[in-house]
Amino acid sequence: MNRLVLGEYETLDEAALPLDEAVALAATGAVEVLRTASPGHWTVRAGKHVGAVRVGETELQIHPKVPVERLLYLLGYARDPRGWRDDEVLLAGVDELVPAMAVSFVALAHRALQQGVLQGYEEREESLLLLRGRLREGEQVRRRMGLALPLEVRYDEFTVDIAENRILLGAARRLLALPGVPAAARGSLVHLTAQLADVRAPVAGERFPVVGATRLNARYRPAIRLAELVLRGRSVELLAGGVRASGFLFDMNRVFEDWLTAALTAALSAHGGTVRPQLRTWLDEAGRIPVRPDLTWWSQGRCTAVVDAKYKALRLADAPNADLYQMLTYCKVMELPHGHLVYAAGDEQPRTHAIRNSGVEVHVHTIDLTGSVTTLRAQVDGLAEQISRRPA
C-alpha cells in the first residue's frame, strides 16, 4: 500500500503514482494533482479539505492544522451548540482524523449499547389482509377502488428499527468503508453492525433521520452526536480512469464558518438584538445580483453589524484583496460604516482598514483555534464585545 501524508494546504513533491491512480485522485477533488518532469511522479497539493481517500493501492491522508479533538469540537458545536460536550470524545492519543473518529465512535457506541439495543415505536404504513392499527381510508379508496382487501393500514410497531439505531448503523458502515481505520476499531465496528442486524441502515443519498433528545435515548446521545458528524462528512465514492476511489472529507472553510456562526450567535445574544445568518439580499436595485453575508446582527428592525468568516484568506492572482472587496460590498449594501472579517489565526493579523472615499472601516479579527475550548469561547466572547461597541 502506497501511503501519502500531508497537511491542509501543503504540497507533496515527486509523489510516485501510477497514471490511473493519479487521474482518480484528482477526480475526487480532495487534492490538486500535477505532472512533474519525472515520469510516474506527481505534485500533490492539498487545499481546504481534510480527511482520507483511497484510490487503488494508494491511501492519502490530509491532516488538519488544528488538533483532531479541536476539529471534532468545531464540528460538534456547529451541529448542536447546546448538546455537544467535547469531554465525551475519547481519542486515547490518536492524532489522525479518520482513526480518531473511528476509535471514539466505537467507545461511545459500546457504552450506548451496554444495556442492550434501544427499542421504540415506529409508525408503519402497509397493505395487510387483517386490520391492524388504523385504516387509511383515503388510500383505501384511491388504491383499492372499492375492494375490501387488502387493507391500507397505519400502525405503531415496537422495534429496534428506530432512528437512533439507524444513525449508529449508518455511521458504523460509513467508517468501515474508510481507509485508515485501525484493525481493532474495524473489528469492533463489525461487531456493532452484527448487534444492529435487524436495523435498516440509511441508503446512499437518503437524508439521515433527525433524533431529538429524550429521557429514553439519553444513553445514546454522545454516540449519536459523533455518528451525525461521521454521516455529515463528504463521502467520496467514484470510478475514474478505471480505478475506484473512496474516502471521507471535511471542508475546513465550511467547518470554520459553521462553528463561528453558531458560537458568535450565542455570544451576541448577550448584547441583545437578533442574529440572522446567511441573509440573502441584493447588490443591485433590480435584484439580479445576490449577496449573502455569513452573519448579520439586527436591532430595532435595522442591521447594526455584518460579519464574514474566512478560514483562510482568499488571494486570487487578479484580486489579491478579494475578502476586503467583498466586505466593502456588504457594508455598502447594508448601509453600515463598519464590517468585520474573522479569520482563523495564521495568515492574517488583526487590523483596521479605512477604505478611501467610502466612509467604511473593515475590521480584521483572528481566532486562534489551537487553544483550549475555554480559550476559544473567551475569544468569541471578546469578538462579540468588540462588534457590539461599534454600532451602525
Side-chain angles (χ1 to χ4, degrees), residues 50-98:
V50 298
V53 176
R54 177 182 291 135
V55 290
E57 295 300 314
T58 296
E59 179 183 306
L60 171 69
Q61 293 281 343
I62 310 171
H63 296 166
K65 291 182 180 178
V66 300
V68 170
E69 65 270 21
R70 191 66 62 251
L71 173 57
L72 294 184
Y73 165 74
L74 299 178
L75 288 163
Y77 186 91
R79 174 71 179 164
D80 185 4
R82 290 175 297 180
W84 181 262
R85 288 179 51 191
D86 53 291
D87 60 344
E88 290 173 340
V89 179
L90 313 171
L91 298 184
V94 183
D95 57 3
E96 292 186 358
L97 178 58
V98 170

Side-chain angles (χ1 to χ4, degrees), residues 286-357:
R288 297 191 184 97
I289 307 173
V291 292
R292 191 185 302 234
D294 289 336
L295 185 148
T296 52
W297 186 37
W298 295 71
S299 179
Q300 298 180 343
R302 63 189 297 267
C303 183
T304 55
V306 59
V307 182
D308 221 38
K310 302 292 183 183
Y311 179 69
K312 187 174 177 63
L314 180 61
R315 302 192 188 284
L316 304 176
D318 55 349
N321 299 302
D323 295 341
L324 286 172
Y325 303 154
Q326 184 182 46
M327 180 52 66
L328 175 60
T329 298
Y330 291 159
C331 289
K332 299 304 288 185
V333 167
M334 307 305 293
E335 299 182 280
L336 293 172
H338 303 281
H340 302 271
L341 283 171
V342 186
Y343 293 92
D347 293 339
E348 295 294 314
Q349 296 297 323
R351 66 188 69 186
T352 294
H353 299 280
I355 310 302
R356 294 180 60 193
N357 303 320

